Amino acid sequence: MSMILQPATQASGPWPGWLAEAHDVLDQLAVSVGAHRVSVLDLLVFAIVSVSIYGVARLAFRIIQRLIRQSHRLDPSQKVLIQKLAGLAIFGLALLIGVDVLSIDLTAFTVFSGALGLAVGFGLQKTLGNLIAGLILLMDRSVKPGDVIVVGDTFGAISKIGIRAVSVVTRDGKEHLIPNEKLMTDPVENWSYSSRNVRLRIPVGVSYHSDLAVAQRLMLQAAGAAERVLSDPAPTVWLKAFGDSSVDHDILVWIVDPELGVGNVQSEILNLLWVLFKQHGIEIPFPQRDIHIRTPDGTGKG
């Protein structure tokens, strides 16, 4: 590699005055790498063309992205998928145009292609796997932005399906980034896959001395008074079992907005039920034990 400083030559071409002189000076400052000659002018042209093509590609992508978001015929999953495919197509086309405009000889990169293949095979394997998994998730629409899912110990609503991971926001405001591959291989509980209606099961126990008909009516009344509980399907009460110290029931209610949380619905129903039970004399039992004491003479007292 050598630096070549060529003497100034008479400017030619449609370059006026000082631009022609600047052109010649920048072209004289060059470096030879084997059979290739790279001048400062070449680097400057490369930078200007690259920035221009990238800027046009970004502008075109933003315009297409806005048009996709404004479309009413596509659901959220289809919009995200088309945006990602459009982005890949636009920037891929921009790369090809840049190579053609700059007249880059791609054979010069044959040496690096093998190293790049090894890097992809070892270091970028997970990244490419997550990219492909993300595209598959968007195409089969098994999960989509807005869905409420459970993956392992994570429960929340999907806010974004990215290139590498799915963003799940929990009710605590924490954002969990789950790799796309994990959603492809691990069991996923989707609360809004085919329907957004979700049924909640709220266990309630009453004393054996209580009037079960009255207690069950009050359970239905409390469930129906909760703000987010649906009237269709209507709440129901099931007698579940005769427990050790209580008659066990399940209150079954339906909601349509699980992304707003489920614990607050249960809390509201139980608070209303507490007041109703107090008003009607329904006892909520607690565990009781009978203690038998034996005396030295063998008699027992209980």
Side-chain angles (χ1 to χ4, degrees):
M1 182 175 69
S2 61
M3 176 71 80
I4 301 176
L5 295 178
Q6 298 178 349
T9 57
Q10 186 176 0
S12 60
W15 298 96
W18 64 273
L19 283 178
E21 296 179 3
H23 174 275
D24 292 339
V25 171
L26 294 175
D27 189 52
Q28 290 171 18
L29 301 174
V31 175
S32 293
V33 182
H36 300 279
R37 178 180 180 275
V38 180
S39 67
V40 175
L41 179 63
D42 294 333
L43 296 177
L44 183 61
V45 171
F46 178 83
I48 293 174
V49 172
S50 299
V51 171
S52 300
I53 293 177
Y54 178 76
V56 172
R58 288 276 296 180
L59 179 61
F61 177 67
R62 288 184 178 181
I63 293 174
I64 293 177
Q65 195 174 36
R66 181 176 299 177
L67 294 175
I68 294 173
R69 287 176 178 174
Q70 292 175 349
S71 175
H72 300 291
R73 298 182 179 179
L74 303 174
D75 61 30
S77 180
Q78 291 174 329
K79 289 181 181 180
V80 174
L81 175 61
I82 294 176
Q83 286 177 11
K84 292 187 180 300
L85 294 179
L88 292 174
I90 289 174
F91 288 104
L93 181 61
L95 178 63
L96 295 177
I97 293 175
V99 169
D100 183 63
V101 171
L102 295 171
S103 301
I104 297 177
D105 185 7
L106 295 180
T107 58
F109 296 98
T110 54
V111 178
F112 302 100
S113 61
L116 180 61
L118 290 176
V120 170
F122 291 99
L124 300 180
Q125 181 178 5
K126 286 291 185 182
T127 302
L128 291 178
N130 284 318
L131 172 61
I132 296 173
L135 294 176
I136 294 174
L137 289 174
L138 290 170
M139 285 189 291
D140 70 4
R141 301 170 64 186
S142 56
V143 295
K144 53 188 179 295
D147 280 356
V148 178
I149 65 171
V150 180
V151 182
D153 296 331
T154 302
F155 166 77
I158 297 177
S159 64
K160 178 183 177 183
I161 300 179
I163 293 178
R164 187 188 68 84
V166 172
S167 173
V168 179
V169 180
T170 67
R171 289 294 298 161
D172 297 328
K174 299 177 182 178
E175 191 162 1
H176 293 207
L177 298 179
I178 303 175
N180 293 331
E181 277 190 333
K182 189 175 180 64
L183 273 73
M184 293 286 296
T185 57
D186 292 1
V188 178
E189 186 176 327
N190 191 338
W191 287 25
S192 47
Y193 179 62
S194 57
S195 172
R196 294 191 60 81
N197 287 3
V198 174
R199 190 174 71 173
L200 306 183
R201 188 184 301 269
I202 305 171
V204 175
V206 297
S207 169
Y208 277 95
H209 303 292
S210 301
D211 186 332
L212 291 186
V214 175
Q216 292 170 2
R217 177 175 58 82
L218 296 177
M219 293 179 199
L220 291 175
Q221 182 179 340
E227 182 179 357
R228 290 173 51 203
V229 171
L230 298 178
S231 58
D232 185 20
T236 57
V237 173
W238 288 359
L239 196 158
K240 184 178 179 181
F242 297 108
D244 293 337
S245 57
S246 66
V247 181
D248 300 329
H249 294 77
D250 276 342
I251 303 177
L252 306 177
V253 298
W254 291 84
I255 61 174
V256 73
D257 47 7
E259 67 275 6
L260 298 180
V262 295
N264 48 10
V265 177
Q266 177 172 331
S267 176
E268 182 181 4
I269 293 175
L270 292 179
N271 274 295
L272 293 170
L273 191 58
W274 174 266
V275 175
L276 292 174
F277 276 1
K278 286 289 186 180
Q279 293 174 352
H280 293 79
I282 302 297
E283 181 183 351
I284 299 177
F286 53 88
Q288 300 180 15
R289 297 292 183 267
D290 292 332
I291 299 177
H292 296 270
I293 302 175
R294 292 186 177 274
T295 61
D297 59 2
T299 61
K301 296 182 179 181

